[in-house]
Amino acid sequence: MDFLLSVLFCFVIFLHFLSANTRDASPLAPALYVFGDSLFDSGNNNLLPTLARANYFPYGLNFPGGVTGRFTNGRTVADFIAEYLGLPYPPPSISIHGTVVTGLNYASGSCGILKETGNHLGKCLNLDDQIELFKLTVERKLEKEYGSKEELSAYLSKSIFVLWIGNNDYINNYLQPHLFPSSRRYTPQQFAHLLVDKLSMGLQSLYNLGARKVVVFELGPIGCIPSIIKESRNSGKCVEETNTIISYFNKGVGEMLKSLASTLSGSTFIFGKVNRLAYDAIMNPSKYVLKGHKKSMLHCMVKWESLMHSFPGALS
């Protein structure tokens, strides 16, 4: 999607701001666990009966490993995050049979927060599926890898959990009235509330499994992606009505994360505020040259920590 470059720009600035870590330095975290949709999927859909696959050329054109199932010509944002943490790319979880302690990728293209999202394209891993797979990772693999519950808890509490999900609940659900009844059942505000509540439950489940440092990205300006513009016949312009619908979800996620941080002891939640930056990059592309500085970071990342516990840095 067009806003991926802006998201990457934002997150790279953020990571540079936190640390001058290089690939040769010690990792900033023991593991990176990735959840989401096609923006993060690194090959899980290759092994699922679905039309939503990217295991063919020209996908992977600029990726060192060639075609892998990533829905991009090169690296995903999750790959860049792994690099800056000093970790290997988290492999797709359902392709791994052994134990990987540096993290796994559970993301699945076409899926979303709701179970029905994307099912017209075939099988995919919705948010509940992804969290259940992580639960199995903890119970069947990580518990055996670490000698005690204390060791495992320490490992998980220092690991980074990244989620970018909800795009398809609009693209492959709410905005498809001929396939799904959601837009007839719910107003945009009600649908956003439904998604935020479900996402909140998922984040609390991850917390109960040991996650303490969590990054959640807001949705980008979906009204500006080519397929939405084409369907609207809006003379090539962004569909602002769709962007407004998305804004209800983004606002709700921000408020929800702040609430969770105040109630879940020891938690740190970072909200990746990419929408405004991405929209501006789409409307004014000539403005965006990758020259990072602290001021830029402040526009796109908001951090909340548990009021009962503080950390010196989000990735410390």
Side-chain angles (χ1 to χ4, degrees):
M1 292 183 185
D2 298 43
F3 51 87
L4 272 174
L5 180 61
S6 300
V7 175
L8 170 61
F9 168 66
C10 174
F11 208 94
V12 167
I13 292 172
F14 169 65
L15 291 171
H16 275 303
F17 176 70
L18 288 175
S19 173
N21 181 65
T22 67
R23 295 183 187 182
D24 297 327
S26 298
L28 293 174
L32 173 66
Y33 289 97
V34 180
F35 304 80
D37 51 33
S38 61
L39 297 180
F40 277 173
D41 190 347
S42 61
N44 282 308
N45 276 24
N46 291 351
L47 301 175
L48 297 174
T50 176
L51 296 174
R53 290 185 181 180
N55 57 344
Y56 53 88
F57 190 81
Y59 293 112
L61 176 65
N62 304 113
F63 188 74
V67 175
T68 60
R70 286 167 169 80
F71 288 76
T72 174
N73 61 297
R75 290 166 286 181
T76 67
V77 172
D79 293 330
F80 281 101
I81 295 171
E83 287 184 7
Y84 279 92
L85 289 174
L87 293 168
Y89 301 150
S93 64
I94 61 177
S95 71
I96 300 298
H97 300 291
T99 300
V100 178
V101 297
T102 53
L104 290 170
N105 187 318
Y106 302 90
S108 178
S110 79
C111 248
I113 297 170
L114 301 180
K115 291 185 177 181
E116 64 270 23
T117 291
N119 61 16
H120 62 295
L121 296 173
K123 172 62 180 175
C124 60
L125 305 174
N126 59 55
L127 180 61
D128 285 346
D129 292 333
Q130 294 178 36
I131 294 172
E132 179 62 24
L133 286 173
F134 174 68
K135 181 174 181 286
L136 293 176
T137 298
V138 173
E139 294 175 347
R140 296 181 181 179
K141 297 180 180 180
L142 295 178
E143 286 183 358
K144 296 177 182 179
E145 186 71 21
Y146 291 90
S148 66
K149 289 185 177 180
E150 289 74 21
E151 262 189 287
L152 177 58
S153 294
Y155 158 82
L156 290 171
S157 68
K158 294 176 183 177
S159 297
I160 307 300
F161 294 75
V162 181
L163 297 91
W164 197 357
I165 198 164
N167 296 287
N168 289 312
D169 292 294
Y170 287 97
I171 297 171
N172 285 322
N173 189 328
Y174 196 76
L175 299 177
Q176 299 288 342
H178 59 294
L179 293 175
F180 296 93
S182 51
S183 61
R184 297 188 294 275
R185 290 179 180 173
Y186 305 102
T187 66
Q189 294 88 340
Q190 290 171 336
F191 189 68
H193 191 270
L194 174 69
L195 295 179
V196 171
D197 281 352
K198 184 71 174 173
L199 178 59
S200 176
M201 292 172 61
L203 292 173
Q204 291 177 70
S205 294
L206 287 176
Y207 176 87
N208 292 335
L209 290 167
R212 293 296 181 270
K213 297 183 178 182
V214 182
V215 180
V216 180
F217 284 101
E218 70 177 353
L219 304 186
I222 288 175
C224 296
I225 66 175
S227 61
I228 299 296
I229 292 175
K230 183 179 179 181
E231 287 179 8
S232 71
R233 299 178 180 177
N234 197 30
S235 302
K237 298 178 182 177
C238 293
V239 183
E240 298 304 341
E241 180 182 356
T242 299
N243 287 335
T244 298
I245 290 172
I246 300 304
S247 72
Y248 301 128
F249 174 81
N250 288 341
K251 183 175 185 292
V253 171
E255 294 170 349
M256 176 266 288
L257 293 178
K258 190 173 184 179
S259 175
L260 288 182
S262 69
T263 57
L264 300 179
S265 177
S267 64
T268 297
F269 289 93
I270 293 176
F271 189 30
K273 299 182 69 175
V274 301
N275 186 284
R276 184 175 64 178
L277 179 68
Y279 183 82
D280 191 46
I282 292 168
M283 302 304 292
N284 304 289
S286 62
K287 287 173 54 177
Y288 287 83
V289 179
L290 297 182
K291 295 180 179 179
H293 50 78
K294 295 181 182 180
K295 184 176 179 182
S296 299
M297 186 278 291
L298 296 176
H299 289 302
C300 56
M301 304 300 294
V302 174
K303 170 185 166 188
W304 287 289
E305 295 177 329
S306 166
L307 298 181
M308 294 172 277
H309 190 93
S310 63
F311 293 90
L315 302 181
S316 61

